[in-house]
Amino acid sequence: MSYSIKVIKKHMQITSAWSGGTTTQLAIFPEHAEYNKRNFLWRISTARIQDEQSLFTSLPDFWRKLMVIEGEVILEYEGSHQVGLKPYEQDSFSGGTVTRSMGKVTDFNLITAAGCQGELEALFIKDGTTHEIECHKEDVEFSLVTEAFYCTEGRVRYSINEDQTLVLEKGDFCVLSWRASLDKVTIKISHFRNESSAYVIRASIVS
């Protein structure tokens, strides 16, 4: 198999407290890195903001992308502007910016260090449809490609290169990595059995 894959079911995930609520780390790279030591290249997590107003942790050497899963939030960037986000809307900002949030929400977070690039996308999987992703990176600047998927609603069937299939339920997370020199990896996502629709958040990272 030319790629590595890891599935973290909802019951396997570890949740911890932070100043504004709780957070669940889904993946970090390298795997031996520690968030508190700030020695990672990228990190994926979910968070539940339980206070009406909270201050984000300062991460001056990182870039952040945040997508709302449930609820609505206003992000206020000190000295700049503010933005309101509803479910599956996102914003991107420097981790060094003093950022306050207003509103109780659950969100999905991608944090990247210099030398990495990452994007978030919400996928709505309708009944009877398949979402196909062909991943091909020709940019020799990067050596590792990562595609991660977090199921927020329903259940989905997930296949890679037609040779491996798995099912993700609500709260399950899957991360797939391979060397950028490989020709192509094809990922297909479809609704599973009697599920009428599903939502999946996709994180795409090159490092």
Side-chain angles (χ1 to χ4, degrees), residues 144-159:
L144 187 69
V145 180
T146 300
E147 291 281 346
F149 299 89
Y150 181 70
C151 183
T152 61
E153 289 292 338
R155 291 187 293 176
V156 292
R157 184 188 303 276
Y158 176 93
S159 66

Side-chain angles (χ1 to χ4, degrees), residues 174-192:
C174 174
V175 59
L176 176 72
S177 298
W178 66 93
R179 307 308 299 179
S181 58
L182 292 180
D183 288 337
K184 183 173 65 176
V185 172
T186 300
I187 301 167
K188 294 182 179 179
I189 306 173
S190 59
H191 80 290
F192 182 67

Side-chain angles (χ1 to χ4, degrees), residues 8-158:
I8 306 174
K9 305 294 284 185
K10 183 178 181 180
H11 70 272
M12 300 166 58
Q13 299 164 14
I14 299 174
T15 298
S16 58
W18 66 288
S19 59
T22 60
T23 183
T24 302
Q25 179 172 289
L26 298 173
I28 195 168
F29 183 81
E31 289 190 10
H32 63 265
E34 297 180 31
Y35 171 71
N36 290 334
K37 292 184 178 180
R38 309 291 193 261
N39 59 354
F40 58 91
L41 290 179
W42 56 260
R43 180 181 187 258
I44 297 173
S45 65
T46 61
R48 185 180 297 275
I49 302 177
Q50 297 172 326
D51 295 340
E52 282 293 348
Q53 296 189 30
S54 62
L55 179 66
F56 280 20
T57 302
S58 178
L59 298 168
D61 298 321
F62 296 86
W63 195 260
R64 304 182 68 146
K65 291 182 183 292
L66 180 151
M67 179 179 287
V68 172
I69 299 175
E70 295 178 350
E72 297 184 14
V73 69
I74 294 175
L75 300 180
E76 183 179 77
Y77 307 114
E78 189 172 274
S80 181
H81 66 289
Q82 65 180 32
V83 61
L85 300 176
K86 297 179 180 180
Y88 302 106
E89 295 179 342
Q90 63 175 297
D91 202 25
S92 178
F93 52 97
S94 169
T97 301
V98 177
T99 304
R100 294 178 175 84
S101 69
M102 290 165 280
K104 297 181 179 181
V105 297
T106 300
D107 56 43
F108 185 91
N109 302 276
L110 171 62
I111 305 173
T112 52
C116 295
Q117 293 181 7
E119 300 293 336
L120 297 182
E121 180 184 10
L123 306 177
F124 178 52
I125 313 300
K126 297 180 181 179
D127 181 13
T129 63
T130 297
H131 190 96
E132 183 170 327
I133 302 168
E134 289 191 353
C135 306
H136 181 55
K137 305 295 183 184
E138 297 179 345
D139 194 336
V140 296
E141 177 185 354
F142 302 102
S143 61
L144 187 69
V145 180
T146 300
E147 291 281 346
F149 299 89
Y150 181 70
C151 183
T152 61
E153 289 292 338
R155 291 187 293 176
V156 292
R157 184 188 303 276
Y158 176 93

